[in-house]
Amino acid sequence: MKKRVGVLTAGGDSPGLNAVLRGVGKAALEWYGMEVVGFRDGFRGLMEDRTMELDEETLSGILTFGGTILGTSRDKPHRMPVGERVVDKTGTIVKNYHKHKLDVLVCLGGGGTQKNAYRLMQKGGLNIVTLPKTIDNDIAQTDVSLGFDTALGIATEAIDRLHSTAHSHHRIVVVETMGHKAGWLALGAGLAGGADVILIPEIPYDVRKVAQAILARSRVGKPFSIVAVAEGAAPKPGVRAVPARKLPRARAKSASVDRTEMGAQQVGHAMHLAEQLEALTGLESRVTILGYLQRGGTPSAGDRLLATRLGTACAALIHEGVYGVMVAARGTGTEPVPLEEVVGKRKTVPRNHEWVQSARRVNTSLGD
Ligand code: F6P
């Protein structure tokens, strides 16, 4: 009997999702002779039974496309917004899984998706295989997650380009990357782009130390600095902020942001940091928030390769009947990791990580 495989993409979109759909789908269909059905918009599509046929034709030509042809959402099976209410729809999802006579459901997503998939396995008894995707690179048990390499390239290029205005106008440029809980993107792009200061959630900062580092550069004839800051970076608890009366008027340039409350808070942090640095150093400061640019467009060669490795390994595991696992990237290979070892853990940047040490050795301030 041909195995039937259901696939969905959940959580934020990310470069490489289509490449991995292609990897799983082509290997499943053509190499292993399985049947594949896609569900639209994450767990919501499975709940509402909205499908997309994934055949040779649909899977062709999508390797380089950004986003996901299936669509995605952050909806959770056990807390699904339905009209005005939030309802547990696990039962409906389990029913639809059986209606489609699935042998396994493949879930592509970040930390939240791993958790939701694990819940479906535990509460609903479904066969599940997951794949790690997030530009934040914070999924436990995998060396790297899909989308990170592309986002790293985009953020690094942005820092490279921002050097022009920082250098020419003798300014501080605060550039904010994504990463609420983990600083991999700010740290990686900051290192690769030669940022002078890197601020990440794992290392709370003291704005006065940051200002000292910037002033030290000025004294040796470099009156400009790039500050790469992760969106989740925060000051050390108890460290005094610069008094408001000393702060100059905010100068927001090129911050392409949404108008939601979250967007406003986010801009608020980066702007406040820039204002404080301007007040403490006397250098004009500007802010650039990279936002969703980091998640968009064509995946890098590294992400296409990773997507194809993980996707085809996923099909091989399904062929062998290995379920309840995430397909992790380990060295040059891949490994199935039991989902219970993945969920509820977050891979943050260890304070003694090699990247942190390298940053310090090239005299990059981490604000601590
Ligand atoms: O999870 C990845 C991520 O890019 C985070 O860094 C960011 O905070 C979040 O997604 C925002 O995504 P959205 O606005 O689409 O929910």
Side-chain angles (χ1 to χ4, degrees):
M1 263 259 286
K2 281 188 172 188
K3 279 196 172 161
R4 279 187 57 78
V5 182
V7 188
L8 59 81
T9 52
D13 65 300
S14 171
L17 279 173
N18 286 323
V20 82
L21 285 175
R22 170 184 177 271
V24 178
K26 284 200 166 199
L29 288 167
E30 293 164 32
W31 190 260
Y32 294 110
M34 303 172 188
E35 290 170 348
V36 185
V37 57
F39 293 93
R40 295 178 189 268
D41 304 334
F43 294 104
R44 176 165 288 277
L46 180 53
M47 188 266 285
E48 293 172 350
D49 196 13
R50 288 186 289 114
T51 59
M52 177 179 189
E53 202 180 332
L54 290 182
D55 55 17
E56 160 58 17
E57 207 183 315
T58 5
L59 294 169
S60 267
I62 62 169
L63 178 64
T64 59
F65 286 3
T68 158
I69 56 167
L70 287 177
T72 187
S73 74
R74 292 197 183 274
D75 292 327
K76 304 174 174 68
H78 66 296
R79 297 196 57 218
M80 190 72 73
V82 181
E84 299 284 284
R85 296 184 313 135
V86 175
V87 189
D88 184 348
K89 284 289 183 184
T90 306
T92 314
I93 284 178
V94 171
K95 207 175 81 203
N96 286 338
Y97 173 98
H98 292 300
K99 178 181 159 192
H100 286 277
K101 298 188 171 33
L102 298 182
D103 291 289
V104 62
L105 177 68
V106 176
C107 304
L108 283 60
T113 303
Q114 308 295 325
K115 244 190 239 170
N116 290 326
Y118 182 59
R119 263 196 215 105
L120 284 180
M121 175 182 127
Q122 284 210 308
K123 296 251 163 75
L126 307 190
N127 290 331
I128 298 281
V129 178
T130 67
L131 291 148
K133 168 267 354 172
T134 168
I135 66 163
D136 293 357
N137 197 33
D138 59 354
I139 300 176
Q141 305 290 358
T142 182
D143 289 355
V144 68
S145 294
L146 270 167
F148 177 65
D149 186 66
T150 309
L152 186 62
I154 295 169
T156 301
E157 189 188 337
I159 292 175
D160 290 349
R161 290 180 185 275
L162 288 167
H163 263 101
S164 304
T165 193
H167 177 259
S168 307
H169 286 268
H170 319 299
R171 285 172 172 165
I172 296 170
V173 176
V174 173
V175 50
E176 189 195 89
T177 70
M178 279 192 171
H180 266 305
K181 300 276 164 55
W184 295 106
L185 199 48
L187 180 58
L191 270 177
D196 308 294
V197 179
I198 301 175
L199 304 177
I200 60 174
E202 295 86 343
I203 305 180
Y205 67 87
D206 177 341
V207 71
R208 287 176 173 77
K209 295 259 175 73
V210 176
Q212 277 164 20
I214 291 171
L215 286 171
R217 284 175 47 77
S218 287
R219 283 196 294 276
V220 295
K222 296 176 191 166
F224 66 94
S225 284
I226 299 278
V227 179
V229 54
E231 61 185 329
K236 282 184 184 171
V239 169
R240 275 178 309 121
V242 178
R245 66 187 158 72
K246 286 199 179 168
L247 298 180
R249 187 180 282 256
R251 261 178 269 252
K253 288 281 178 198
S254 65
S256 142
V257 292
D258 55 61
R259 298 273 167 230
T260 60
E261 196 183 324
M262 187 183 134
Q265 278 172 14
Q266 197 176 319
V267 180
H269 175 246
M271 288 298 296
H272 186 57
L273 176 61
E275 283 167 354
Q276 294 195 84
L277 292 176
E278 185 160 323
L280 289 167
T281 63
L283 290 172
E284 213 176 47
S285 301
R286 293 287 190 267
V287 173
T288 296
I289 295 178
L290 299 181
Y292 298 97
L293 282 175
Q294 295 159 102
R295 292 200 330 214
T298 190
S300 65
D303 269 331
R304 294 181 208 179
L305 190 55
L306 180 65
T308 309
R309 285 169 51 215
L310 292 179
T312 53
C314 173
L317 289 169
I318 293 170
H319 175 70
E320 291 161 22
V322 179
Y323 304 131
V325 295
M326 178 185 80
V327 190
R330 293 278 171 87
T332 52
T334 62
E335 258 179 52
V337 182
L339 270 175
E340 55 266 32
E341 290 175 25
V342 177
V343 297
K345 295 178 185 148
R346 178 176 278 115
K347 186 182 72 178
T348 52
V349 178
R351 290 184 75 110
N352 61 352
H353 190 271
E354 196 207 349
W355 291 10
V356 172
Q357 293 181 23
S358 302
R360 295 195 195 282
R361 288 185 192 128
V362 291
N363 219 13
T364 300
S365 167
L366 298 171
D368 59 340

